[in-house]
Amino acid sequence: MATGFEIHDLVWAKMKGFPAWPGKIIEPKPEVKRPANNKKVHHFIFFFGSENYAWIPEENIYLYSDHRDKFKLEKRIPKGFKEALEAIEDELKEKPFIKTFKTKELPSIDEELAQIFPGKPSGSPQKDYTREPLKGKKKKRTDAGKDGNKSMETQNTVRRKRMSNSDDNPKPKKAKVIAKVTGSPSKITLSPDHKLKPKIRAELPSPRPEHNLPMSPPSHSYIQASLSPGNASASTQIEETLLKVKPVAKPSIIPTPMRIGFLGLGIMGQGMVMNLLRSGHEVTVWNRTALKCRDFVKSGAFKGNNPAEVVQSCDITFSCVADTTAVKDLVFGNYGVLQGISKGKCYVEMSTIDEETMQDVAEAITARGGVFLESPVVGSRVPALEGQLIILAAGERKLYDECYSCFEAIGKKSLYLGADIGAATRMKLIVNMVMGTVVAGLAEAMAMAEKVGLDQEDVAEVLSVGALSCPTVIHKSQAILSQRYDPHFPLQHQQKDLRLALLLGDKVEQPLYVASAANELYKKARRLGYGESDISAVYRAASN
Ligand code: NAP
């Protein structure tokens, strides 16, 4: 479609929720997906200062030479804006002639605000939408950058500074928000080939004095766990290959300057933490089996000695552990999460558990002045390693916003389901009910195919080319054919999720015939000893 803009044009480009920013139209990068909305003309914009790029709709682009002063901010200037202006001015000086449209009218500030805050009367929309900074989030680690990786550190500082001014960039508040977390225009991701190096020594920085907890735990509970690998969940031994797995290339991530804690280095936690580190986040890890922290510390993570210590030393702590028992141990146990919570500390529970426990945890955290978000994830081992999870969230909206760069790093999409704690858990259980019944059905079909004299490979092929072709059916039928059940999604977790879905069905008197039958099959598979194997091992129960 012909437009007035051309490659190399210097422009103001405006991303939703952000002020107009100096940029340049450039050739699209193949790794950055075009926006799905084909009706609008989009241009691929390079942003000065952040050196980031993104697709921006033409209606949000203004020729710089026509509107040189229009978007120059006088108040609440985001950090990095001045540098971006200098860069565009330098480029403008080098231009042999200055292009002009002259006809295109800019929206007024009020129109701008109306675009950002649809449905709001003009006035002071910031009241409802501004993201407030978290307490103490700007504290810097004193030993950062000791590895001499100065240029990376300097770049990060500039980008983080810009990000930390998000108070200037109010976001619309909606009951539901679906954010495509790839494609953020805000910053360049480390290349997938970026080698992770220990940036900082792997010790926790001193806790803030006002929240001092004893740092040597008592003789039980979350003492640095035994180093014996035999204590680890069988499914979660650290693989040699872990550090070599590359995430799917993403256009841009500005890591939040906040300190991130992560509790639980199981299948999911490992992938998520690798992607947080790769994208430049500062992460402190803890796992019940301490040995699993080793590779992450080598890759630049700090290591906490217990959950309380991690929460205390970080601004936002994520947790992803096995089940309800694990969550309760972790949160309410000795030297558990609660003991590290003080006013403003943020806690994000990513484990799949029952909604009552989720609510209990939320209450306990908020009662201590903490901020809570539930955030179970959809996707298994490979999406976790590739940073392609789907994040379901409910709870404190402000915290959801603060998690933006983390969700960008670990996921391809995030969905905010509102303030009601439990909504994300219910969504997750429904999704996994579908997953559990589909894989159980596949297992029975493969078992039956054999009994009626069909070649299972033929069945798998037919499924893979027909309407039922999807990653789950394809991968799980391959696992059944090869009888390899390396855990991607441990079967015991699937059975737990079906059990929780059935309990939910009970509460609302929803008959769940199919899910109940599938649950029985998974129970049998567990009894046969396949609890820690992949969900596809349910075939063994079906064929037995
Ligand atoms: P996993 O590989 O089995 O790892 C479980 C994690 O929980 C390990 O870090 C384990 O520590 C820890 N843990 C278990 N009991 C504990 C306790 N009492 N106290 C403290 N830590 C404890 O599980 P995963 O696959 O990563 O799944 C984690 C959560 O995400 C589960 O709720 C699961 O339902 C959900 N999920 C999983 C998938 C998937 O495909 N795998 C997908 C979406 C959601 P050790 O290392 O010491 O055993």
Side-chain angles (χ1 to χ4, degrees):
M1 204 180 300
T3 78
F5 289 107
E6 295 162 58
I7 300 291
H8 303 311
D9 277 351
L10 298 175
V11 294
W12 286 105
K14 185 158 172 11
M15 205 191 125
K16 207 172 173 193
F18 287 82
W21 201 270
K24 178 161 79 171
I25 299 184
I26 59 167
E27 293 283 1
K29 304 262 177 204
E31 69 271 21
V32 184
K33 254 181 150 177
R34 276 178 182 271
N37 182 353
N38 287 327
K39 286 183 197 149
K40 290 184 179 175
V41 178
H42 285 72
H43 296 281
F44 198 70
I45 304 290
F46 167 83
F47 288 92
F48 289 103
S50 70
E51 300 186 348
N52 173 32
Y53 33 81
W55 285 102
I56 302 288
E58 189 173 80
E59 66 201 28
N60 293 341
I61 301 172
Y62 310 96
L63 199 61
Y64 183 74
S65 48
D66 278 358
H67 307 288
R68 221 156 150 185
D69 296 324
K70 182 75 181 176
F71 291 108
K72 284 187 184 162
L73 302 170
E74 274 155 30
K75 283 190 225 155
R76 301 169 72 200
I77 299 169
K79 297 269 165 57
F81 188 78
K82 231 178 107 207
E83 293 82 349
L85 264 182
E86 282 165 14
I88 198 169
E89 284 290 333
D90 287 349
E91 280 233 18
L92 195 65
K93 275 180 213 147
E94 285 165 20
K95 289 234 154 202
F97 66 93
I98 294 180
K99 178 175 172 173
T100 174
F101 287 169
K102 288 199 177 118
T103 48
K104 187 168 178 180
E105 262 315 302
L106 282 174
S108 67
I109 290 294
D110 283 348
E111 287 167 327
E112 281 260 322
L113 291 173
Q115 271 179 24
I116 300 174
F117 310 110
K120 279 257 144 195
S122 58
S124 54
Q126 288 86 342
K127 187 167 177 279
D128 291 334
Y129 301 110
T130 302
R131 302 190 330 185
E132 287 171 21
L134 294 179
K135 303 271 178 301
K137 70 179 180 181
K138 297 202 178 104
K139 184 166 175 182
K140 281 207 140 200
R141 292 196 173 177
T142 48
D143 50 358
K146 269 191 179 167
D147 64 341
N149 194 0
K150 273 257 162 58
S151 59
M152 180 66 71
E153 187 59 31
T154 315
Q155 282 178 22
N156 282 346
T157 309
V158 170
R159 289 166 187 156
R160 287 175 188 193
K161 276 180 183 169
R162 186 179 153 193
M163 194 63 179
S164 69
N165 271 269
S166 54
D167 315 27
D168 298 322
N169 307 320
K171 285 204 164 180
K173 189 176 180 180
K174 291 183 191 160
K176 284 187 184 182
V177 172
I178 301 177
K180 190 156 190 212
V181 293
T182 52
S184 150
S186 37
K187 182 160 174 205
I188 288 177
T189 320
L190 299 182
S191 106
D193 293 330
H194 169 72
K195 285 234 164 62
L196 291 164
K197 288 183 190 157
K199 286 188 292 192
I200 33 194
R201 66 195 159 81
E203 278 167 27
L204 275 175
S206 308
R208 297 182 183 105
E210 66 273 27
H211 305 138
N212 232 342
L213 267 183
M215 282 298 140
S216 306
S219 58
H220 67 293
S221 196
Y222 291 118
I223 304 178
Q224 265 195 340
S226 153
L227 289 186
S228 154
N231 279 4
S233 326
S235 60
T236 57
Q237 306 291 316
I238 288 189
E239 296 165 54
E240 285 293 302
T241 53
L242 179 66
L243 303 181
K244 293 178 197 144
V245 178
K246 289 180 179 169
V248 168
K250 293 183 188 180
S252 52
I253 295 173
I254 298 181
T256 171
M258 287 183 280
R259 295 168 170 186
I260 304 302
F262 207 104
L263 310 173
L265 296 173
I267 292 173
M268 301 305 281
Q270 290 183 19
M272 289 192 265
V273 170
M274 282 316 295
N275 284 313
L276 287 170
L277 290 170
R278 278 189 175 113
S279 52
H281 291 85
E282 224 171 74
V283 188
T284 301
V285 292
W286 175 87
N287 190 64
R288 181 180 63 175
T289 307
L291 181 67
K292 288 185 188 170
C293 297
R294 196 184 49 191
D295 285 344
F296 298 93
V297 167
K298 277 191 205 154
S299 301
F302 289 91
K303 180 172 168 294
N305 288 314
N306 54 61
E309 192 180 273
V310 174
V311 171
Q312 196 188 337
S313 62
C314 294
D315 301 301
I316 303 179
T317 301
F318 293 86
S319 154
C320 190
V321 290
D323 52 20
T324 300
T325 309
V327 168
K328 283 183 174 164
D329 284 356
L330 200 72
V331 174
F332 301 108
N334 206 3
Y335 283 83
V337 168
L338 265 194
Q339 287 177 260
I341 294 284
S342 55
K343 196 165 184 322
K345 289 282 176 192
C346 298
Y347 184 66
V348 183
E349 185 54 73
M350 305 187 103
S351 317
T352 309
I353 55 171
D354 60 287
E355 62 173 326
E356 287 79 15
T357 305
M358 196 63 96
Q359 282 152 2
D360 289 348
V361 171
E363 255 175 49
I365 300 283
T366 46
R368 287 196 168 220
V371 188
F372 184 81
L373 190 74
E374 67 167 329
S375 182
V377 290
V378 176
S380 59
R381 180 178 169 278
V382 172
L385 288 169
E386 291 179 345
Q388 292 291 297
L389 295 170
I390 299 165
I391 298 130
L392 309 172
E396 183 59 52
R397 173 61 209 242
K398 211 161 25 152
L399 177 52
Y400 173 76
D401 289 342
E402 293 290 350
C403 290
Y404 184 75
S405 71
C406 297
F407 290 163
E408 259 188 317
I410 65 176
K412 62 177 175 186
K413 201 159 241 187
S414 68
L415 179 72
Y416 179 70
L417 293 162
D420 165 31
I421 303 289
T425 292
R426 294 195 292 276
M427 175 72 84
K428 166 68 187 167
L429 292 179
I430 283 171
V431 171
N432 271 26
M433 194 173 90
V434 176
M435 166 72 89
T437 51
V438 165
V439 177
L442 175 69
E444 281 192 347
M446 291 296 253
M448 171 137 151
E450 194 179 34
K451 301 249 164 62
V452 298
L454 291 174
D455 188 333
Q456 289 180 327
E457 273 190 41
D458 292 343
V459 177
E461 193 182 342
V462 172
L463 289 173
S464 75
V465 293
L468 285 169
S469 173
C470 68
T472 297
V473 169
I474 292 171
H475 295 151
K476 299 311 173 193
S477 42
Q478 287 309 315
I480 291 168
L481 285 177
S482 62
Q483 301 200 30
R484 289 199 53 179
Y485 306 118
D486 314 335
H488 289 247
F489 181 25
L491 188 143
Q492 60 197 9
H493 294 340
Q494 175 61 79
Q495 197 266 317
K496 161 199 62 130
D497 294 350
L498 276 172
R499 178 166 36 83
L500 295 175
L502 293 175
L503 287 171
L504 197 58
D506 253 15
K507 270 202 330 201
V508 293
E509 298 176 359
Q510 168 65 40
L512 295 172
Y513 302 109
V514 180
S516 309
N519 185 44
E520 294 306 311
L521 204 56
Y522 286 101
K523 271 161 61 181
K524 183 176 171 192
R526 283 185 78 167
R527 207 190 61 215
L528 292 172
Y530 291 100
E532 291 184 351
S533 304
D534 187 63
I535 174 182
S536 47
V538 70
Y539 170 75
R540 302 312 293 256
S543 63
N544 195 284

